[in-house]
Amino acid sequence: MNAHHTRRAGRRTRARLLAVAAGSLALAVGTSVAASADEGGAVISKPYSARANTLPARTAFATQAPTAATQNTWAFGIDGRDSAGTIWDYPPKAAGGFAARVKTGTGMGSATAFFKNNSANTAHVNVYARFGSQLRVFTGSSGSGTVLAGGWGSYNAFVTPGNIGGAAYPDLLARDTSGVLWEYLSNSNGTFGSRVRVGAGWNIYTQIAGRDDLTGDGKADIVARDSSGTLWLYKGTGTYKQPFLPRTKIGAGWNTYNKLIALGDTNGDGHNDLLARDTHGVLWFYAGTGNAAAPYKTRAQIGTNWNSYNYLF
């Protein structure tokens, strides 16, 4: 081959390499743009914190001395996403209840699920949002968060019930579309360990909620409402291999609510409570009793127009 043909072949090779490089760059840029569009420019602009309610020392188990875990309860704020994709936070007040709302997030319209957790069992609270199949955690005062992992699109309910696994930090429950409930033990940095299967048949419930101990034994419990409107209590065992005892009935008539939320000890009396929004947008407060036979007192109305939010957490 003469020098002329050699130069032409070299130019063609370089052109092909440049074309491949340009195609790879376009693919990378396209992937980035698609991810950003899916997240909708999601940003959390303020830090979240829980209120610690310090209580007199008390014994959770008859055979055990009081511990720090049984002397304190946590209170979380309530958050709502409006139709514009804005997140509004009602922080917990020092004396109990909630303060005036504060705008904490924007660009959240495409998120399909939210939940909160104080992963290190401190006052610092992480916010989690699912975009498509990706779970993103917002841990700081401002930013677009960090993707933890993919594969979260198969879940249709999330609950952060506190420490149900007996380890050091509060945990996560996630129900998949086939009705299987999974437990994720949490790490102090906001990540989760491998999931553990709790059991099947949980798709009979239209709402699942709970935050820490409801029965006075120091172990985290949850409640679940079935399609007939009956509310059931699942007492915690404190072990991750079988975190709950068989259910017991709390009462009927709970199908008047379209959202049940457990945010800990909202009124600071040492018992964990429940919030419920009815179909008219009225928000109701059920103070906890610490009694397994009747874990909640009579409801009290605490707000209206809460149907302006399409997601509460």
PDB file of all heavy atoms in Angstrom, residues 187-213:
ATOM      1  N   ASN A 187     -28.512   0.984  58.857  1.00  0.00           N
ATOM      2  CA  ASN A 187     -27.187   1.388  59.299  1.00  0.00           C
ATOM      3  C   ASN A 187     -27.224   2.851  59.702  1.00  0.00           C
ATOM      4  O   ASN A 187     -28.080   3.621  59.248  1.00  0.00           O
ATOM      5  CB  ASN A 187     -26.161   1.165  58.186  1.00  0.00           C
ATOM      6  CG  ASN A 187     -26.122  -0.276  57.723  1.00  0.00           C
ATOM      7  OD1 ASN A 187     -26.047  -1.186  58.533  1.00  0.00           O
ATOM      8  ND2 ASN A 187     -26.197  -0.480  56.417  1.00  0.00           N
ATOM      9  N   SER A 188     -26.281   3.267  60.524  1.00  0.00           N
ATOM     10  CA  SER A 188     -26.298   4.630  61.048  1.00  0.00           C
ATOM     11  C   SER A 188     -26.088   5.683  59.969  1.00  0.00           C
ATOM     12  O   SER A 188     -26.456   6.844  60.154  1.00  0.00           O
ATOM     13  CB  SER A 188     -25.222   4.789  62.125  1.00  0.00           C
ATOM     14  OG  SER A 188     -23.930   4.556  61.586  1.00  0.00           O
ATOM     15  N   ASN A 189     -25.520   5.292  58.814  1.00  0.00           N
ATOM     16  CA  ASN A 189     -25.265   6.259  57.739  1.00  0.00           C
ATOM     17  C   ASN A 189     -26.442   6.407  56.793  1.00  0.00           C
ATOM     18  O   ASN A 189     -26.344   7.078  55.756  1.00  0.00           O
ATOM     19  CB  ASN A 189     -24.009   5.867  56.969  1.00  0.00           C
ATOM     20  CG  ASN A 189     -24.138   4.517  56.270  1.00  0.00           C
ATOM     21  OD1 ASN A 189     -25.165   3.841  56.369  1.00  0.00           O
ATOM     22  ND2 ASN A 189     -23.084   4.112  55.574  1.00  0.00           N
ATOM     23  N   GLY A 190     -27.566   5.779  57.097  1.00  0.00           N
ATOM     24  CA  GLY A 190     -28.761   5.929  56.273  1.00  0.00           C
ATOM     25  C   GLY A 190     -28.966   4.841  55.251  1.00  0.00           C
ATOM     26  O   GLY A 190     -29.985   4.829  54.552  1.00  0.00           O
ATOM     27  N   THR A 191     -28.029   3.906  55.122  1.00  0.00           N
ATOM     28  CA  THR A 191     -28.186   2.779  54.213  1.00  0.00           C
ATOM     29  C   THR A 191     -28.879   1.631  54.941  1.00  0.00           C
ATOM     30  O   THR A 191     -29.137   1.688  56.145  1.00  0.00           O
ATOM     31  CB  THR A 191     -26.827   2.313  53.672  1.00  0.00           C
ATOM     32  OG1 THR A 191     -26.016   1.862  54.773  1.00  0.00           O
ATOM     33  CG2 THR A 191     -26.109   3.455  52.960  1.00  0.00           C
ATOM     34  N   PHE A 192     -29.157   0.566  54.177  1.00  0.00           N
ATOM     35  CA  PHE A 192     -29.833  -0.598  54.743  1.00  0.00           C
ATOM     36  C   PHE A 192     -29.071  -1.872  54.414  1.00  0.00           C
ATOM     37  O   PHE A 192     -28.390  -1.958  53.399  1.00  0.00           O
ATOM     38  CB  PHE A 192     -31.261  -0.712  54.201  1.00  0.00           C
ATOM     39  CG  PHE A 192     -32.120   0.476  54.496  1.00  0.00           C
ATOM     40  CD1 PHE A 192     -32.338   1.445  53.531  1.00  0.00           C
ATOM     41  CD2 PHE A 192     -32.699   0.638  55.744  1.00  0.00           C
ATOM     42  CE1 PHE A 192     -33.123   2.558  53.803  1.00  0.00           C
ATOM     43  CE2 PHE A 192     -33.491   1.745  56.028  1.00  0.00           C
ATOM     44  CZ  PHE A 192     -33.702   2.706  55.052  1.00  0.00           C
ATOM     45  N   GLY A 193     -29.221  -2.860  55.282  1.00  0.00           N
ATOM     46  CA  GLY A 193     -28.646  -4.168  55.022  1.00  0.00           C
ATOM     47  C   GLY A 193     -29.521  -4.971  54.083  1.00  0.00           C
ATOM     48  O   GLY A 193     -30.509  -4.480  53.536  1.00  0.00           O
ATOM     49  N   SER A 194     -29.164  -6.225  53.887  1.00  0.00           N
ATOM     50  CA  SER A 194     -29.951  -7.103  53.030  1.00  0.00           C
ATOM     51  C   SER A 194     -31.327  -7.343  53.641  1.00  0.00           C
ATOM     52  O   SER A 194     -31.474  -7.422  54.862  1.00  0.00           O
ATOM     53  CB  SER A 194     -29.240  -8.444  52.842  1.00  0.00           C
ATOM     54  OG  SER A 194     -27.973  -8.257  52.241  1.00  0.00           O
ATOM     55  N   ARG A 195     -32.313  -7.497  52.784  1.00  0.00           N
ATOM     56  CA  ARG A 195     -33.667  -7.659  53.282  1.00  0.00           C
ATOM     57  C   ARG A 195     -33.898  -9.044  53.874  1.00  0.00           C
ATOM     58  O   ARG A 195     -33.256 -10.032  53.476  1.00  0.00           O
ATOM     59  CB  ARG A 195     -34.684  -7.374  52.174  1.00  0.00           C
ATOM     60  CG  ARG A 195     -34.725  -8.415  51.060  1.00  0.00           C
ATOM     61  CD  ARG A 195     -35.730  -8.003  49.988  1.00  0.00           C
ATOM     62  NE  ARG A 195     -35.922  -9.073  49.014  1.00  0.00           N
ATOM     63  CZ  ARG A 195     -36.805  -9.022  48.005  1.00  0.00           C
ATOM     64  NH1 ARG A 195     -37.565  -7.942  47.853  1.00  0.00           N
ATOM     65  NH2 ARG A 195     -36.939 -10.034  47.173  1.00  0.00           N
ATOM     66  N   VAL A 196     -34.826  -9.114  54.825  1.00  0.00           N
ATOM     67  CA  VAL A 196     -35.215 -10.356  55.478  1.00  0.00           C
ATOM     68  C   VAL A 196     -36.729 -10.516  55.324  1.00  0.00           C
ATOM     69  O   VAL A 196     -37.489  -9.580  55.602  1.00  0.00           O
ATOM     70  CB  VAL A 196     -34.833 -10.341  56.975  1.00  0.00           C
ATOM     71  CG1 VAL A 196     -35.318 -11.612  57.661  1.00  0.00           C
ATOM     72  CG2 VAL A 196     -33.334 -10.167  57.148  1.00  0.00           C
ATOM     73  N   ARG A 197     -37.171 -11.679  54.908  1.00  0.00           N
ATOM     74  CA  ARG A 197     -38.589 -11.916  54.680  1.00  0.00           C
ATOM     75  C   ARG A 197     -39.332 -12.055  55.999  1.00  0.00           C
ATOM     76  O   ARG A 197     -38.977 -12.878  56.848  1.00  0.00           O
ATOM     77  CB  ARG A 197     -38.782 -13.178  53.843  1.00  0.00           C
ATOM     78  CG  ARG A 197     -40.187 -13.396  53.289  1.00  0.00           C
ATOM     79  CD  ARG A 197     -40.159 -14.644  52.409  1.00  0.00           C
ATOM     80  NE  ARG A 197     -41.389 -14.811  51.648  1.00  0.00           N
ATOM     81  CZ  ARG A 197     -42.444 -15.514  52.043  1.00  0.00           C
ATOM     82  NH1 ARG A 197     -42.420 -16.106  53.234  1.00  0.00           N
ATOM     83  NH2 ARG A 197     -43.505 -15.629  51.269  1.00  0.00           N
ATOM     84  N   VAL A 198     -40.361 -11.228  56.190  1.00  0.00           N
ATOM     85  CA  VAL A 198     -41.189 -11.299  57.389  1.00  0.00           C
ATOM     86  C   VAL A 198     -42.315 -12.300  57.198  1.00  0.00           C
ATOM     87  O   VAL A 198     -42.584 -13.136  58.056  1.00  0.00           O
ATOM     88  CB  VAL A 198     -41.754  -9.911  57.745  1.00  0.00           C
ATOM     89  CG1 VAL A 198     -42.723 -10.009  58.907  1.00  0.00           C
ATOM     90  CG2 VAL A 198     -40.631  -8.945  58.066  1.00  0.00           C
ATOM     91  N   GLY A 199     -43.007 -12.211  56.054  1.00  0.00           N
ATOM     92  CA  GLY A 199     -44.106 -13.132  55.801  1.00  0.00           C
ATOM     93  C   GLY A 199     -44.961 -12.681  54.638  1.00  0.00           C
ATOM     94  O   GLY A 199     -44.828 -11.551  54.146  1.00  0.00           O
ATOM     95  N   ALA A 200     -45.846 -13.535  54.194  1.00  0.00           N
ATOM     96  CA  ALA A 200     -46.730 -13.260  53.063  1.00  0.00           C
ATOM     97  C   ALA A 200     -48.127 -12.895  53.548  1.00  0.00           C
ATOM     98  O   ALA A 200     -48.425 -12.956  54.744  1.00  0.00           O
ATOM     99  CB  ALA A 200     -46.781 -14.469  52.139  1.00  0.00           C
ATOM    100  N   GLY A 201     -48.991 -12.513  52.602  1.00  0.00           N
ATOM    101  CA  GLY A 201     -50.387 -12.243  52.913  1.00  0.00           C
ATOM    102  C   GLY A 201     -50.672 -10.839  53.397  1.00  0.00           C
ATOM    103  O   GLY A 201     -51.801 -10.533  53.798  1.00  0.00           O
ATOM    104  N   TRP A 202     -49.686  -9.939  53.338  1.00  0.00           N
ATOM    105  CA  TRP A 202     -49.878  -8.576  53.852  1.00  0.00           C
ATOM    106  C   TRP A 202     -50.616  -7.674  52.863  1.00  0.00           C
ATOM    107  O   TRP A 202     -50.897  -6.528  53.180  1.00  0.00           O
ATOM    108  CB  TRP A 202     -48.528  -7.967  54.223  1.00  0.00           C
ATOM    109  CG  TRP A 202     -47.962  -8.565  55.476  1.00  0.00           C
ATOM    110  CD1 TRP A 202     -47.326  -9.762  55.604  1.00  0.00           C
ATOM    111  CD2 TRP A 202     -48.021  -7.998  56.793  1.00  0.00           C
ATOM    112  NE1 TRP A 202     -46.974  -9.982  56.919  1.00  0.00           N
ATOM    113  CE2 TRP A 202     -47.392  -8.918  57.661  1.00  0.00           C
ATOM    114  CE3 TRP A 202     -48.534  -6.816  57.317  1.00  0.00           C
ATOM    115  CZ2 TRP A 202     -47.255  -8.684  59.035  1.00  0.00           C
ATOM    116  CZ3 TRP A 202     -48.404  -6.583  58.684  1.00  0.00           C
ATOM    117  CH2 TRP A 202     -47.773  -7.501  59.519  1.00  0.00           C
ATOM    118  N   ASN A 203     -50.981  -8.210  51.696  1.00  0.00           N
ATOM    119  CA  ASN A 203     -51.758  -7.405  50.751  1.00  0.00           C
ATOM    120  C   ASN A 203     -53.233  -7.335  51.126  1.00  0.00           C
ATOM    121  O   ASN A 203     -54.021  -6.696  50.436  1.00  0.00           O
ATOM    122  CB  ASN A 203     -51.591  -7.930  49.314  1.00  0.00           C
ATOM    123  CG  ASN A 203     -51.829  -9.423  49.212  1.00  0.00           C
ATOM    124  OD1 ASN A 203     -52.136 -10.090  50.196  1.00  0.00           O
ATOM    125  ND2 ASN A 203     -51.680  -9.956  48.016  1.00  0.00           N
ATOM    126  N   ILE A 204     -53.621  -7.958  52.238  1.00  0.00           N
ATOM    127  CA  ILE A 204     -54.995  -7.790  52.727  1.00  0.00           C
ATOM    128  C   ILE A 204     -55.163  -6.440  53.423  1.00  0.00           C
ATOM    129  O   ILE A 204     -56.282  -6.039  53.736  1.00  0.00           O
ATOM    130  CB  ILE A 204     -55.393  -8.922  53.695  1.00  0.00           C
ATOM    131  CG1 ILE A 204     -54.562  -8.864  54.978  1.00  0.00           C
ATOM    132  CG2 ILE A 204     -55.289 -10.279  53.016  1.00  0.00           C
ATOM    133  CD1 ILE A 204     -55.029  -9.833  56.049  1.00  0.00           C
ATOM    134  N   TYR A 205     -54.061  -5.743  53.652  1.00  0.00           N
ATOM    135  CA  TYR A 205     -54.105  -4.468  54.366  1.00  0.00           C
ATOM    136  C   TYR A 205     -53.986  -3.280  53.410  1.00  0.00           C
ATOM    137  O   TYR A 205     -53.158  -3.282  52.499  1.00  0.00           O
ATOM    138  CB  TYR A 205     -52.992  -4.395  55.409  1.00  0.00           C
ATOM    139  CG  TYR A 205     -53.119  -5.458  56.476  1.00  0.00           C
ATOM    140  CD1 TYR A 205     -52.131  -6.417  56.651  1.00  0.00           C
ATOM    141  CD2 TYR A 205     -54.249  -5.525  57.289  1.00  0.00           C
ATOM    142  CE1 TYR A 205     -52.250  -7.393  57.626  1.00  0.00           C
ATOM    143  CE2 TYR A 205     -54.382  -6.512  58.255  1.00  0.00           C
ATOM    144  CZ  TYR A 205     -53.371  -7.443  58.415  1.00  0.00           C
ATOM    145  OH  TYR A 205     -53.509  -8.420  59.373  1.00  0.00           O
ATOM    146  N   THR A 206     -54.836  -2.286  53.654  1.00  0.00           N
ATOM    147  CA  THR A 206     -54.821  -1.073  52.848  1.00  0.00           C
ATOM    148  C   THR A 206     -53.956   0.020  53.462  1.00  0.00           C
ATOM    149  O   THR A 206     -53.602   0.983  52.777  1.00  0.00           O
ATOM    150  CB  THR A 206     -56.250  -0.547  52.676  1.00  0.00           C
ATOM    151  OG1 THR A 206     -56.831  -0.344  53.975  1.00  0.00           O
ATOM    152  CG2 THR A 206     -57.102  -1.531  51.891  1.00  0.00           C
ATOM    153  N   GLN A 207     -53.636  -0.098  54.746  1.00  0.00           N
ATOM    154  CA  GLN A 207     -52.752   0.839  55.429  1.00  0.00           C
ATOM    155  C   GLN A 207     -51.929   0.069  56.464  1.00  0.00           C
ATOM    156  O   GLN A 207     -52.465  -0.816  57.148  1.00  0.00           O
ATOM    157  CB  GLN A 207     -53.526   1.954  56.146  1.00  0.00           C
ATOM    158  CG  GLN A 207     -54.311   2.881  55.240  1.00  0.00           C
ATOM    159  CD  GLN A 207     -53.418   3.930  54.597  1.00  0.00           C
ATOM    160  OE1 GLN A 207     -52.464   4.416  55.188  1.00  0.00           O
ATOM    161  NE2 GLN A 207     -53.743   4.285  53.362  1.00  0.00           N
ATOM    162  N   ILE A 208     -50.644   0.420  56.576  1.00  0.00           N
ATOM    163  CA  ILE A 208     -49.765  -0.125  57.617  1.00  0.00           C
ATOM    164  C   ILE A 208     -49.021   1.046  58.231  1.00  0.00           C
ATOM    165  O   ILE A 208     -48.514   1.910  57.510  1.00  0.00           O
ATOM    166  CB  ILE A 208     -48.765  -1.154  57.057  1.00  0.00           C
ATOM    167  CG1 ILE A 208     -49.485  -2.259  56.282  1.00  0.00           C
ATOM    168  CG2 ILE A 208     -47.930  -1.765  58.176  1.00  0.00           C
ATOM    169  CD1 ILE A 208     -48.542  -3.210  55.554  1.00  0.00           C
ATOM    170  N   ALA A 209     -48.960   1.112  59.562  1.00  0.00           N
ATOM    171  CA  ALA A 209     -48.300   2.241  60.220  1.00  0.00           C
ATOM    172  C   ALA A 209     -47.730   1.764  61.554  1.00  0.00           C
ATOM    173  O   ALA A 209     -48.013   0.663  62.026  1.00  0.00           O
ATOM    174  CB  ALA A 209     -49.287   3.387  60.447  1.00  0.00           C
ATOM    175  N   GLY A 210     -46.961   2.625  62.173  1.00  0.00           N
ATOM    176  CA  GLY A 210     -46.404   2.317  63.484  1.00  0.00           C
ATOM    177  C   GLY A 210     -45.052   2.979  63.662  1.00  0.00           C
ATOM    178  O   GLY A 210     -44.275   3.094  62.707  1.00  0.00           O
ATOM    179  N   ARG A 211     -44.793   3.419  64.896  1.00  0.00           N
ATOM    180  CA  ARG A 211     -43.494   3.981  65.230  1.00  0.00           C
ATOM    181  C   ARG A 211     -43.211   3.693  66.702  1.00  0.00           C
ATOM    182  O   ARG A 211     -43.851   4.266  67.585  1.00  0.00           O
ATOM    183  CB  ARG A 211     -43.445   5.489  64.966  1.00  0.00           C
ATOM    184  CG  ARG A 211     -42.096   6.107  65.278  1.00  0.00           C
ATOM    185  CD  ARG A 211     -41.043   5.760  64.251  1.00  0.00           C
ATOM    186  NE  ARG A 211     -39.693   5.900  64.753  1.00  0.00           N
ATOM    187  CZ  ARG A 211     -38.592   5.882  63.991  1.00  0.00           C
ATOM    188  NH1 ARG A 211     -38.718   5.729  62.683  1.00  0.00           N
ATOM    189  NH2 ARG A 211     -37.410   5.983  64.528  1.00  0.00           N
ATOM    190  N   ASP A 212     -42.304   2.752  66.945  1.00  0.00           N
ATOM    191  CA  ASP A 212     -41.850   2.377  68.284  1.00  0.00           C
ATOM    192  C   ASP A 212     -42.954   1.681  69.085  1.00  0.00           C
ATOM    193  O   ASP A 212     -43.936   1.194  68.533  1.00  0.00           O
ATOM    194  CB  ASP A 212     -41.275   3.595  69.003  1.00  0.00           C
ATOM    195  CG  ASP A 212     -39.993   4.084  68.353  1.00  0.00           C
ATOM    196  OD1 ASP A 212     -39.185   3.252  67.907  1.00  0.00           O
ATOM    197  OD2 ASP A 212     -39.795   5.310  68.284  1.00  0.00           O
ATOM    198  N   ASP A 213     -42.798   1.666  70.393  1.00  0.00           N
ATOM    199  CA  ASP A 213     -43.607   0.839  71.281  1.00  0.00           C
ATOM    200  C   ASP A 213     -45.017   1.404  71.469  1.00  0.00           C
ATOM    201  O   ASP A 213     -45.195   2.565  71.817  1.00  0.00           O
ATOM    202  CB  ASP A 213     -42.893   0.748  72.633  1.00  0.00           C
ATOM    203  CG  ASP A 213     -43.666  -0.051  73.653  1.00  0.00           C
ATOM    204  OD1 ASP A 213     -44.447  -0.929  73.260  1.00  0.00           O
ATOM    205  OD2 ASP A 213     -43.466   0.213  74.850  1.00  0.00           O
TER     206      ASP A 213
END
